[in-house]
């Protein structure tokens, strides 16, 4: 039975039924498919698309479980940080707001069986302060962002500066008293202070001695200074080294060195362990799904979580959600446009100029941006890929 046409009463009834949240027991996380009843979920589990997703899950179950758990934890913590901040909040209340979003990651797809297990894990890892009460688990977010640490440091400095002079003087006097008592116990003799007295009718004398300033004119004379200064000027003129003009070869080598340093810096910044980009042509290299899709080319329609992608096969039109480990890049013919998917020039469109099969590398020419026209050599096969439609 086909789908109801748009605008018909059946179509509107289906839309109304699908509105809002449905039961979690009839949701498939691998296919991101929500069914309305048990019969629909049963039909979905028997479908070919669901069986393909189960085969992919069987290849690396730990990786899928880790990704789902990370997505769930990131969404939960982001909601806690943005919505509640550092206030003590009921963990179940945060969870209810999180699952209100229809496209959320379900907890039954993660490594935690219950919300209590997840809250305990957050407390053990130091992300929140978790405490259990009669009303359930409560969490308090621990803000370790640089801004929060700076605010805390400013508050401590302000509190320290607000100590008035009286408190400081009291502390100083207490220290002096303790020091005097300690000296008495050690038996050290105390210094005696006498009152300053001046006999009457006795004049007050001040003994102030001023040193004479050095006067070079009196020793050498003016003419000697003038002669010395002029001779220094002559020496500077005579022994001053002429400015040497840099040669063209040295400037060229310096420029090449700067370019190499710049490319090394870009390589370190842009080299990632993921390379998927939308609208590129890839080859499916996994044989776990039979010979139908093995070594077939497909186009990447959407990138999910950097490591997975939704692809559409060019020959059959079938769609799959696969990991990048099951794909490899496609090298087009010479003078065709390609996309740099990894390395220093990641995300740049370029033209394939030369192919070196012995070293498994190519030479490309950047097409757009401030580096337009630059020739880049020794680019590895896995760092470039064909653009769909070129």
């Amino acid at each position: 039975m086909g789908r109801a046409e748009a605008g018909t009463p059946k179509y509107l009834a289906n839309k109304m039924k699908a509105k809002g949240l449905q039961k979690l027991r009839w949701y498939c996380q691998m296919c991101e498919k929500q069914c309305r009843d048990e019969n629909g979920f049963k039909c979905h589990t028997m479908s070919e698309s669901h069986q393909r997703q189960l085969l992919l899950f069987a290849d690396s179950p730990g990786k899928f479980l880790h990704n789902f758990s990370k997505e769930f934890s990131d969404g939960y913590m982001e909601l806690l940080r943005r919505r509640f901040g550092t206030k003590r909040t009921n963990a179940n209340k945060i969870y209810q707001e999180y699952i209100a979003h229809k496209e959320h990651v379900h907890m039954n797809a993660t490594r935690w069986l219950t919300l209590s297990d997840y809250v305990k894990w957050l407390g053990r890892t130091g992300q929140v302060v978790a405490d259990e009460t009669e009303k359930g688990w409560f969490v308090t977010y621990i803000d370790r962002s640089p801004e929060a640490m700076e605010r805390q440091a400013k508050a401590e400095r302000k509190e320290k500066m607000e100590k008035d002079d009286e408190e400081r003087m009291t502390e100083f006097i207490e220290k002096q008293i303790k020091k005097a008592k300690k000296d008495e116990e050690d038996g050290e003799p105390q210094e005696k202070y006498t009152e300053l007295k001046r006999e009457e009718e006795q004049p007050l004398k001040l003994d102030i001695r001023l040193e004479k300033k050095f006067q070079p004119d009196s020793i050498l004379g003016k003419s000697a200074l003038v002669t010395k200064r002029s001779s220094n000027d002559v020496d500077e003129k005579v022994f001053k080294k002429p400015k040497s003009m840099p040669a063209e070869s040295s400037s060229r080598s310096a420029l090449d060195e700067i370019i190499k340093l710049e490319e090394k810096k870009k390589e370190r910044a842009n080299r990632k362990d993921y390379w998927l980009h939308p609208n590129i042509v890839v080859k499916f290299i996994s044989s776990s799904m039979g010979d139908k899709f093995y070594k077939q080319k497909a186009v990447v329609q959407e990138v999910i979580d950097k490591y997975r992608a939704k692809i559409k096969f060019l020959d059959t039109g079938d769609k799959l959600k696969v990991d990048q480990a099951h794909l490899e890049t496609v090298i087009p013919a010479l003078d065709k446009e390609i996309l740099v998917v990894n390395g220093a020039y990641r995300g740049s469109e370029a033209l394939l100029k030369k192919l070196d099969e012995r070293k498994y590398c190519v030479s490309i020419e950047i097409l757009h941006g401030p580096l337009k026209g630059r020739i880049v050599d020794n680019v590895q096969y896995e760092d470039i890929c064909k653009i769909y439609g070129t």
Side-chain angles (χ1 to χ4, degrees):
M1 182 177 178
R3 291 186 177 182
E5 296 182 1
T8 60
K10 185 65 175 177
Y11 175 83
L12 297 176
N14 291 338
K15 283 292 183 182
M16 292 174 66
K17 290 177 184 177
K19 196 173 183 180
L21 296 174
Q22 282 82 39
K23 290 187 178 181
L24 300 182
R25 59 185 292 190
W26 295 328
Y27 182 82
C28 177
Q29 186 66 59
M30 281 297 296
C31 304
E32 296 182 359
K33 172 73 174 175
Q34 175 70 62
C35 301
R36 287 201 297 267
D37 50 23
E38 186 176 0
N39 183 44
F41 187 73
K42 181 180 178 182
C43 294
H44 170 70
T45 55
M46 297 172 63
S47 64
E48 183 182 356
S49 61
H50 180 74
Q51 297 297 327
R52 288 199 299 263
Q53 294 298 327
L54 287 184
L55 289 174
L56 292 176
F57 180 81
D59 286 346
S60 54
K63 189 172 184 179
F64 281 98
L65 198 62
H66 172 73
N67 290 337
F68 290 145
S69 302
K70 188 176 184 303
E71 289 178 24
F72 175 82
S73 182
D74 291 346
Y76 188 91
M77 292 299 295
E78 179 65 20
L79 179 62
L80 173 60
R81 182 189 66 81
R82 188 183 66 252
R83 173 77 169 78
F84 300 98
T86 55
K87 293 191 299 183
R88 183 172 175 269
T89 315
N90 193 318
N92 190 49
K93 182 181 179 181
I94 306 169
Y95 179 70
Q96 294 299 326
E97 291 198 16
Y98 174 74
I99 65 174
H101 180 56
K102 193 173 183 179
E103 302 297 330
H104 71 276
V105 178
H106 292 60
M107 178 167 279
N108 56 8
T110 65
R111 59 175 176 162
W112 303 288
L113 299 178
T114 61
L115 181 63
S116 300
D117 294 339
Y118 173 63
V119 173
K120 291 177 184 177
W121 178 80
L122 289 178
R124 286 196 302 269
T125 54
Q127 301 182 51
V128 300
V129 177
D131 58 302
E132 187 178 13
T133 63
E134 296 178 355
K135 296 182 180 180
W137 283 93
F138 283 78
V139 294
T140 305
Y141 179 67
I142 301 175
D143 193 356
R144 290 192 176 91
S145 62
E147 295 81 6
M149 301 297 288
E150 182 65 23
R151 286 197 301 268
Q152 185 178 357
K154 285 182 179 179
E156 292 177 356
R157 288 196 296 267
K158 185 177 179 182
E159 184 180 355
K160 188 176 180 180
M161 292 175 63
E162 284 178 352
K163 263 191 173 181
D164 54 1
D165 296 336
E166 187 175 351
E167 292 178 355
R168 294 179 184 176
M169 184 59 68
T170 304
E171 291 179 0
F172 177 73
I173 293 173
E174 289 178 356
K175 288 180 181 179
Q176 293 297 326
I177 292 172
K178 290 179 181 178
K179 184 179 179 182
K181 289 181 178 179
K182 186 177 180 181
D183 292 341
E184 289 179 0
E185 292 175 358
D186 294 343
E188 294 182 2
Q190 299 292 324
E191 295 182 359
K192 294 182 178 180
Y193 299 96
T194 57
E195 187 179 356
L196 178 63
K197 293 183 179 180
R198 182 170 65 90
E199 296 180 2
E200 296 181 358
E201 297 180 358
Q202 186 175 357
L204 183 65
K205 295 182 179 180
L206 299 176
D207 188 9
I208 302 175
R209 299 177 181 178
L210 299 176
E211 296 181 359
K212 292 183 179 180
K213 294 183 179 180
F214 175 71
Q215 297 179 356
D217 292 351
S218 61
I219 300 174
L220 297 176
K222 260 187 180 180
S223 59
L225 288 175
V226 172
T227 308
K228 188 174 182 181
R229 190 181 298 113
S230 62
S231 63
N232 289 338
D233 294 342
V234 172
D235 293 342
E236 287 180 1
K237 290 180 181 178
V238 171
F239 295 102
K240 195 171 184 180
K241 293 182 180 180
K243 294 182 180 179
S244 59
M245 299 297 292
E248 185 178 354
S249 59
S250 61
S251 63
R252 174 59 61 183
S253 62
L255 182 59
D256 294 340
E257 189 69 25
I258 292 173
I259 293 175
K260 289 181 181 178
L261 291 175
E262 180 186 354
E263 290 185 350
K264 287 182 180 179
K265 189 183 295 184
K266 285 184 179 180
E267 178 71 20
R268 288 194 299 269
N270 295 331
R271 174 67 61 178
K272 310 291 183 184
D273 57 348
Y274 53 89
W275 55 269
L276 291 173
H277 287 72
N279 204 36
I280 60 173
V281 179
V282 294
K283 185 183 291 185
F284 188 78
I285 58 173
S286 176
S287 59
S288 60
M289 299 181 64
D291 297 334
K292 181 180 179 181
F293 300 114
Y294 185 61
K295 293 288 182 73
Q296 295 297 318
K297 293 182 180 179
V299 58
V300 177
Q301 293 184 324
E302 182 184 354
V303 179
I304 306 171
D305 302 330
K306 300 178 183 178
Y307 296 94
R308 292 187 297 159
K310 289 183 179 179
I311 63 171
K312 180 181 179 181
F313 288 95
L314 299 179
D315 294 339
T316 61
D318 293 330
K319 297 181 180 180
L320 279 181
K321 188 188 295 184
V322 298
D323 190 86
Q324 71 172 13
H326 302 297
L327 303 173
E328 69 176 9
T329 58
V330 174
I331 309 299
L334 293 178
D335 296 327
K336 294 290 184 179
E337 292 186 10
I338 54 95
L339 181 72
V340 183
V341 297
N342 209 348
Y345 299 91
R346 182 187 182 97
S348 301
E349 293 185 6
L351 205 65
L352 184 61
K353 303 298 291 182
K354 187 180 177 183
L355 190 68
D356 190 346
E357 296 181 357
R358 291 183 300 174
K359 297 182 179 180
Y360 301 101
C361 61
V362 296
S363 297
I364 60 174
E365 179 183 352
I366 306 299
L367 290 179
H368 306 292
L371 303 178
K372 180 180 179 181
R374 175 177 288 186
I375 302 295
V376 184
D377 298 324
N378 298 325
V379 181
Q380 299 299 318
Y381 281 175
E382 58 268 18
D383 289 346
I384 66 168
C385 192
K386 180 182 179 181
I387 300 177
Y388 179 66
T390 60

